[in-house]
Amino acid sequence: DGGITQSPKYLFRKEGQNVTLSCEQNLNHDAMYWYRQDPGQGLRLIYYSQIVNDFQKGDIAEGYSVSREKKESFPLTVTSAQKNPTAFYLCASSQEGARTEAFFGQGTRLTVV
Amino acid sequence: GNSVTQMEGPVTLSEEAFLTINCTYTATGYPSLFWYVQYPGEGLQLLLKATKADDKGSNKGFEATYRKETTSFHLEKGSVQVSDSAVYFCALTNTGTASKLTFGTGTRLQVTL
């Protein structure tokens, strides 16, 4: 089946560690996105990529990094510089263009312990 | 810039009641409008969309009409079910920002027997 796969579903991080969240899509979409979800704040855009080997910062990119070496993959690294990383992280993909909808993965819940 | 404002929740209804969740937006140009639904612990799923003024999106008994004159995209359903309990997000994309979504903060709906 076509779709977006995020892994792991749950992730625990110690203070000072970097962790990487995986996102893979087989929808042949050009654009991919990472959103952060906190209670009562909706979804906020972290990074997005419209084409392989290119990506742009979203609204809350500080403390995060990404790569886009393959069309299907858009991993997100939460670095130790991110002061409050506990959140639900959602990856999405879409065709380019303002009238196209995005498809979302099941999310990764990251908790700092 | 672009923004979306939703009514705050939670909204609690009895089964078979009428549902309205208000959504208004601010955007220049010609945005496309979306409603997404999120069930507990999951990612977002597209519920319906409208890409130009006066368009009506509909799916699974839910409807929303793109009203440019009032900059609104209110979600309605004539008779809710317990299975409709979820968080509903209004969102937009806009020319100039391509396929990036701007989300409202979400409205939690709880339907009881």
Side-chain angles (χ1 to χ4, degrees):
Chain A
D1 284 359
I4 300 180
T5 302
Q6 289 187 241
S7 62
K9 190 170 177 66
Y10 299 96
L11 186 57
F12 297 90
R13 191 194 94 168
K14 293 183 180 179
E15 295 276 356
Q17 278 185 338
N18 293 353
V19 290
T20 297
L21 283 59
S22 170
C23 178
E24 303 276 334
Q25 56 100 357
N26 60 4
L27 299 168
N28 200 34
H29 286 164
D30 292 312
M32 297 187 74
Y33 313 83
W34 275 105
Y35 291 90
R36 171 178 170 143
Q37 185 176 19
D38 296 285
Q41 295 193 45
L43 279 75
R44 294 180 290 168
L45 182 64
I46 305 172
Y47 268 98
Y48 66 101
S49 168
Q50 294 170 294
I51 196 169
V52 174
N53 292 323
D54 190 37
F55 48 83
Q56 287 79 42
K57 294 181 179 180
D59 301 318
I60 56 164
E62 186 176 350
Y64 300 97
S65 66
V66 293
S67 62
R68 186 87 187 275
E69 297 177 1
K70 298 186 299 182
K71 188 175 185 177
E72 310 82 56
S73 178
F74 191 42
L76 173 74
T77 296
V78 184
T79 75
S80 57
Q82 170 50 238
K83 298 306 180 189
N84 184 23
T86 295
F88 192 51
Y89 292 87
L90 286 160
C91 180
S93 72
S94 71
Q95 294 287 11
E96 258 305 291
R99 288 178 168 74
T100 60
E101 65 265 30
F103 293 80
F104 284 80
Q106 292 296 296
T108 293
R109 185 165 299 280
L110 173 63
T111 304
V112 174
V113 296
Chain B
N2 301 324
S3 68
V4 176
T5 303
Q6 284 181 243
M7 62 187 289
E8 288 195 20
V11 174
T12 303
L13 295 173
S14 299
E15 201 170 46
E16 299 184 0
F18 185 85
L19 169 70
T20 299
I21 299 178
N22 290 338
C23 171
T24 57
Y25 67 89
T26 301
T28 56
Y30 304 95
S32 294
L33 302 174
F34 305 84
W35 277 102
Y36 283 85
V37 59
Q38 184 179 35
Y39 298 101
E42 297 186 7
L44 276 66
Q45 303 172 28
L46 178 70
L47 183 58
L48 53 85
K49 70 175 185 180
T51 58
K52 61 183 187 296
D54 300 324
D55 268 3
K56 178 186 282 188
S58 62
N59 186 26
K60 299 180 181 180
F62 291 90
E63 293 183 339
T65 301
Y66 186 161
R67 302 285 189 199
K68 195 167 178 66
E69 63 275 15
T70 55
T71 62
S72 66
F73 193 54
H74 305 321
L75 182 68
E76 296 182 336
K77 187 176 185 184
S79 176
V80 295
Q81 305 299 313
V82 172
S83 57
D84 293 327
S85 298
V87 180
Y88 293 81
F89 291 93
C90 186
L92 67 82
T93 59
N94 203 355
T95 53
T97 57
S99 48
K100 289 190 297 176
L101 284 158
T102 299
F103 285 93
T105 54
T107 302
R108 181 175 300 279
L109 170 66
Q110 184 168 349
V111 181
T112 58
L113 289 171

